[in-house]
Amino acid sequence: MRSAELADGRLHIFSAETRDIRRPDGLLDFLATLLHCPADGISLTRDDFGRPVSARPPADTDWPPDAGLFLAVGDDPDHRLVVLARDLPVALSVHPVPRGPLGELLLPFTPLERESLRRAPAADRARQLTRLWVRKEAVLRLAGRGGLAAVDEIDALSGAGADDDAVRLPPALTDAGGALGPVVHVRDLPVGPGWVACAATPAPARGVRLWGANASGGAAT
C-alpha cells in the first residue's frame, strides 16, 4: 500500500501509456496496481461532467479512514497522465502547442494576457499561449460546473503578491459553491516537447513527484 508515499503533500504524476485510463476499467486497474488492492473494491467519485475526481480503496485496506485520494486524468490519448494527491483536490489540463496563426485563439484571453503574448518572442508565442490556456482550463475544472462562462475573466497572470503560481478567481467562481477561496494555485508539469500541462489545487502543493510507467519509482521536485 502506498499510503505513506502519497501522503507527502506532493502532486504525484504518473504516465499510463500502456492503458487507456480514460476508460473506467483502465483507470480502476491502474489504481488497483498502484494501491495493491482489488479493482472492484475501489469506488470513484466523478464531477458533473463525468470526470473522476477522487477514489476510495476498499474498507479492509490500511488506507486511513479520514484520508481523501484526489485525482485528475489527462484526456488526450497521446498523453495519458494521472495526477494523484492525498487530501488535496486537483484538476489537470494537457494540450499540444498549436501551429499556425494564433489570432482567433486569443478570444478568451484578458487584455493583460494578450499584451504578454504580443511582447513574447515570436518563437515562444504559441507555447506561452498554451501555457496560459492550460492554467485557465485547470482552474475552471477545479471550480466545476458554471466556470466556463468566466473563462475570459480568469487572468492567468493575476498572481497573488510575489507568488506567480497563484491565479485570482473572479467573484462569480468564489461565490458559486464556497469550496474555493479567492486564489487557486497552479503548477506547470513536465510533459515533453510540443505539449504543455498544468495542475490546479486550492492550496499549494509541496512539490511534484514524477513516477515511471510501472509506478516503481519516482523523482521528486
Side-chain angles (χ1 to χ4, degrees):
M1 202 63 170
R2 298 190 182 274
S3 302
E5 291 172 291
L6 294 175
D8 62 1
R10 293 188 177 100
L11 299 178
H12 292 258
I13 316 299
F14 296 86
S15 173
E17 299 298 332
T18 60
R19 330 174 186 221
D20 188 353
I21 53 174
R22 297 172 300 161
R23 295 172 56 88
D25 56 346
L27 178 59
L28 287 173
D29 287 344
F30 170 81
L31 292 173
T33 301
L34 175 69
L35 301 174
H36 307 306
C37 67
D40 58 5
I42 300 174
S43 60
L44 287 177
T45 300
R46 299 178 180 272
D47 64 12
D48 292 338
F49 297 96
R51 293 187 292 255
V53 294
S54 65
R56 183 75 193 173
D60 58 352
T61 67
D62 66 351
W63 195 260
D66 58 345
L69 179 62
F70 293 92
L71 62 95
V73 175
D75 52 10
D76 192 285
D78 294 324
H79 275 74
R80 297 173 180 171
L81 297 181
V82 180
V83 181
L84 297 178
R86 262 280 302 270
D87 303 323
L88 185 65
V90 60
L92 174 68
S93 175
V94 184
H95 280 284
V97 177
R99 299 179 180 179
L102 302 179
E104 65 182 26
L105 299 178
L106 295 177
L107 291 177
F109 291 93
T110 67
L112 181 62
E113 291 169 332
R114 293 191 194 116
E115 181 61 25
S116 75
L117 291 169
R118 280 191 286 267
R119 293 182 178 181
D124 297 334
R125 199 166 292 149
R127 186 171 186 84
Q128 174 65 2
L129 180 145
T130 311
R131 181 173 179 264
L132 292 175
W133 174 252
V134 297
R135 284 183 163 217
K136 292 162 82 83
E137 185 171 67
V139 169
L140 288 168
R141 288 180 173 179
L142 189 66
R145 182 175 291 277
L148 188 60
V151 63
D152 57 355
E153 299 178 40
I154 294 176
D155 195 323
L157 299 175
S158 59
D163 184 359
D164 63 359
D165 287 332
V167 174
R168 293 194 179 278
L169 296 182
L173 293 185
T174 57
D175 296 342
L180 296 178
V183 168
V184 164
H185 296 266
V186 294
R187 183 179 288 269
D188 298 329
L189 305 177
V191 287
W195 291 79
V196 181
C198 176
T201 53
R206 293 179 183 172
V208 171
R209 189 170 184 183
L210 305 176
W211 291 82
N214 296 322
S216 58
T221 61

